[in-house]
């Protein structure tokens, strides 16, 4: 039932402002679900008669919002094909200083954000950057803000760089009858992006905090062993240990390779992996868990028991 109130006076303004403030306060809660809060706010405005049902649903048909949804699909494809892992390995590399690390991260992120919506881009890069920081012994607090700001700056360079640009373009088309071009805002956004990246690179290392988890000071000295299998369709088959990225894992090393019942030492980085190889790793428990995130490796389910249940229904448990 929609409550009908007169639109005269300040009542609609007060309800609208109160709804916005309530939504912002709810979004600050740790357990907040943004989609439910925002949808609930729209429903509240409809129930109080501030918005009509057609006005409430109009935003879902905005071309900009549909474009943002499509860009999330593109972002998922970039992630699942391993392109983001390639970026981490070949562009981020092994910097020698914090300033070099910020430079290697900020510049590619700015360029990619101009053509991939910055929200899904940051969502894809967060776990990659976090893992990269662990491997390079760099505090993640030094790179997370540059990642976010570089994505925002890159998003101002093109029409599709950020969802805000697309929404504004949709409103512009509605009122003016024509939209913005792909690079109409570049002449403003590009200089701002260059200046922002320069500030991040030159001043960022001095201002950004160096926060490290306590576990880094007292790493778990207990070592665990785990076996991983190279599946038949693995992209790692045919690559050397070095090329597969298995030589410099944090707190973890490849001890040996079980190939058709024959133990092959993993001392040489030039040893090529084959489909069906069983790789024996030794390391601390956190790093053993990270093995399951490496593309092209699968847990050896018959290490102790043969586990027929799917991976999503199993969990790794440490018993002491």
């Amino acid at each position: 039932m929609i409550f009908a109130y007169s639109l005269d006076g300040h009542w609609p303004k007060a309800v609208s402002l109160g709804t916005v403030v309530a939504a912002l306060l709810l979004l600050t809660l740790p357990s907040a679900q943004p989609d439910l809060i925002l949808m609930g706010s729209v429903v509240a405005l409809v129930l109080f008669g501030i918005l009509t049902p057609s006005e409430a649903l109009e935003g879902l048909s905005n071309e900009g919002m549909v474009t943002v949804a499509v860009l999330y699909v593109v972002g998922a494809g970039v992630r699942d094909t391993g392109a983001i892992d390639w970026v981490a390995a070949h562009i981020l590399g092994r910097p020698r200083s914090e300033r070099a690390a910020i430079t290697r991260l900020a510049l590619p992120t700015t360029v990619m954000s101009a053509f991939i919506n910055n929200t899904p881009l940051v969502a894809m890069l967060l776990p990659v950057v976090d893992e990269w920081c662990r491997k390079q012994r760099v505090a993640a607090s030094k790179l997370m803000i540059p990642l976010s700001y570089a994505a925002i700056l890159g998003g101002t360079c093109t029409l599709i760089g950020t969802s805000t640009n697309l929404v504004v373009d949709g409103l512009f088309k509605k009122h003016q009858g024509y939209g913005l071009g792909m690079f109409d805002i570049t002449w403003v956004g590009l200089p701002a992006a260059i200046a922002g990246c320069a500030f991040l690179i030159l001043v960022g290392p001095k201002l950004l905090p160096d926060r490290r988890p306590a576990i880094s000071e007292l790493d778990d000295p207990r070592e665990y062993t785990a076996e991983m299998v190279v599946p038949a369709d693995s992209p790692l088959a045919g690559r050397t240990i070095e090329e597969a990225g298995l030589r410099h894992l944090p707190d973890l090393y490849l001890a040996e390779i079980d190939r058709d019942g024959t133990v092959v030492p993993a001392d040489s980085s030039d040893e090529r992996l084959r489909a069906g190889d069983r790789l024996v790793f030794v390391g601390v428990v956190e790093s053993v868990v990270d093995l399951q995130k490496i593309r092209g490796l699968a847990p050896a389910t018959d290490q102790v028991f043969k586990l027929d249940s799917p991976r999503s229904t199993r969990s790794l448990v440490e018993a002491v």
Side-chain angles (χ1 to χ4, degrees):
M1 177 178 181
I2 298 178
F3 298 95
Y5 290 94
S6 173
L7 295 182
D8 297 329
H10 300 289
W11 171 251
K13 299 177 183 178
V15 173
S16 300
L17 181 60
T19 303
V20 172
V21 172
L24 291 176
L25 292 176
L26 290 174
L27 288 172
T28 62
L29 299 176
S31 58
Q33 299 185 31
D35 52 344
L36 297 180
I37 293 173
L38 296 178
M39 288 298 295
S41 301
V42 174
V43 171
L45 292 175
V46 172
L47 292 177
F48 281 105
I50 308 300
L51 293 177
T52 64
S54 60
E55 289 174 337
L57 297 174
E58 185 178 359
L60 299 177
S61 62
N62 185 286
E63 292 182 10
M65 297 303 296
V66 175
T67 305
V68 171
V70 172
L71 289 174
Y72 270 95
V73 177
V74 174
V78 172
R79 180 196 61 211
D80 292 342
T81 56
I84 292 296
D85 295 332
W86 184 90
V87 169
H90 293 81
I91 296 181
L92 299 181
R94 297 180 183 177
R96 297 183 178 181
S97 65
E98 291 178 355
R99 180 168 284 108
I102 294 175
T103 302
R104 284 175 172 267
L105 176 64
L107 296 183
T109 301
T110 302
V111 174
M112 289 189 293
S113 181
F115 301 98
I116 301 177
N117 190 269
N118 56 14
T119 302
L121 177 64
V122 171
M124 290 186 296
L125 286 177
L126 274 175
V128 175
V129 173
D130 185 61
E131 181 68 16
W132 183 60
C133 290
R134 288 206 318 117
K135 291 183 178 179
Q136 302 302 323
R137 308 296 185 185
V138 177
S141 58
K142 290 285 187 180
L143 296 180
M144 291 306 180
I145 287 295
L147 169 64
S148 175
Y149 285 10
I152 294 172
L153 291 169
T156 63
C157 294
T158 64
L159 180 63
I160 66 172
T162 176
S163 56
T164 306
N165 295 347
L166 294 169
V167 172
V168 170
D169 179 58
L171 296 174
F172 195 80
K173 287 180 181 178
K174 178 180 177 181
H175 293 284
Q176 299 296 328
Y178 62 93
L180 300 173
M182 178 71 170
F183 299 103
D184 282 353
I185 62 176
T186 304
W187 68 277
V188 175
L190 184 58
I194 294 174
C197 287
F199 181 84
L200 287 174
I201 294 171
L202 297 177
V203 185
K206 298 180 181 179
L207 298 181
L208 294 169
D210 187 354
R211 297 194 181 100
R212 300 175 186 270
I215 190 66
S216 62
E217 303 295 331
L218 297 170
D219 287 336
D220 190 348
R222 295 167 294 173
E223 291 186 344
Y224 292 77
T225 60
E227 290 184 23
M228 305 294 289
V229 175
V230 180
D233 57 348
S234 172
L236 302 183
R239 296 186 181 182
T240 65
I241 295 175
E242 182 74 27
E243 293 172 345
L246 303 179
R247 177 53 69 201
H248 302 288
L249 299 173
D251 301 320
L252 190 71
Y253 68 92
L254 178 59
E256 62 184 26
I257 302 173
D258 185 345
R259 181 174 295 157
D260 298 328
T262 302
V263 176
V264 178
D267 300 332
S268 174
S269 297
D270 297 328
E271 178 67 35
R272 292 194 176 274
L273 302 176
R274 301 179 186 177
D277 282 354
R278 299 170 65 90
L279 311 182
V280 180
F281 292 90
V282 178
V284 299
V285 62
E286 290 84 2
S287 297
V288 171
V289 174
D290 289 341
L291 275 177
Q292 301 180 31
K293 303 176 183 178
I294 299 178
R295 294 181 68 251
L297 292 182
T301 56
D302 56 348
Q303 294 180 70
V304 180
F305 315 105
K306 184 169 180 58
L307 304 178
D308 296 324
S309 58
R311 180 71 189 92
S312 59
T313 63
R314 307 199 305 266
S315 59
L316 184 62
V317 179
E318 177 184 7
V320 179

